[in-house]
Amino acid sequence: MNIKKYNNISGTKNLKNYLIGYVLCIILSAIPFLLVTKKILSPHTTIFIIAILAAIQLIVQVHYFIRLNTTGRWSFVAFCFTVFVIIVLFGGSLWIMCNLNYNMMIM
């Protein structure tokens, strides 16, 4: 087994990648904070921009901190399963709350 090849598969841990990811996450968190506190845009536009920046921040964190792009197929499958479970839990919770709201209304 070649150790050099193994290290390339597991991804490299260096301070530069962590600092780049950290700075990007700070910027991607500061922009929505400023949009909300300064009320620069309309509420609907602000919510849309916050959702886009949240998706970008998720991609940045997966790339720089989890290093999903360098760890192989099984990490990707585990990540996809985790996303699926979160969607099912979130969607199921919303479904239950909407049904409770409908069934508990005073008629």
Side-chain angles (χ1 to χ4, degrees):
M1 182 165 152
N2 191 355
I3 294 176
K4 193 178 228 183
K5 185 178 178 183
Y6 178 75
N7 285 337
N8 287 336
I9 291 172
S10 66
T12 58
K13 294 181 183 179
N14 58 14
L15 186 61
K16 180 183 173 186
N17 285 342
Y18 284 116
L19 287 177
I20 291 171
Y22 180 72
V23 169
L24 286 174
C25 285
I26 294 294
I27 292 169
L28 290 170
S29 296
I31 292 171
F33 179 77
L34 291 174
L35 287 175
V36 170
T37 56
K38 302 293 183 186
K39 296 180 182 175
I40 299 171
L41 302 170
S42 69
H44 295 292
T45 307
T46 303
I47 291 172
F48 180 72
I49 291 175
I50 289 172
I52 298 239
L53 290 174
I56 293 171
Q57 188 169 14
L58 175 69
I59 293 168
V60 166
Q61 289 182 4
V62 165
H63 179 74
Y64 285 103
F65 299 122
I66 300 175
R67 293 184 314 276
L68 192 63
N69 59 342
T70 58
T71 54
R73 179 178 168 89
W74 284 109
S75 292
F76 180 72
V77 171
F79 180 74
C80 289
F81 180 72
T82 303
V83 169
F84 173 73
V85 168
I86 290 171
I87 289 171
V88 167
L89 287 173
F90 185 73
S93 298
L94 286 177
W95 184 21
I96 289 170
M97 287 187 282
C98 287
N99 281 336
L100 284 175
N101 186 32
Y102 178 76
N103 290 330
M104 299 297 287
M105 291 171 52
I106 299 173
M107 293 188 193

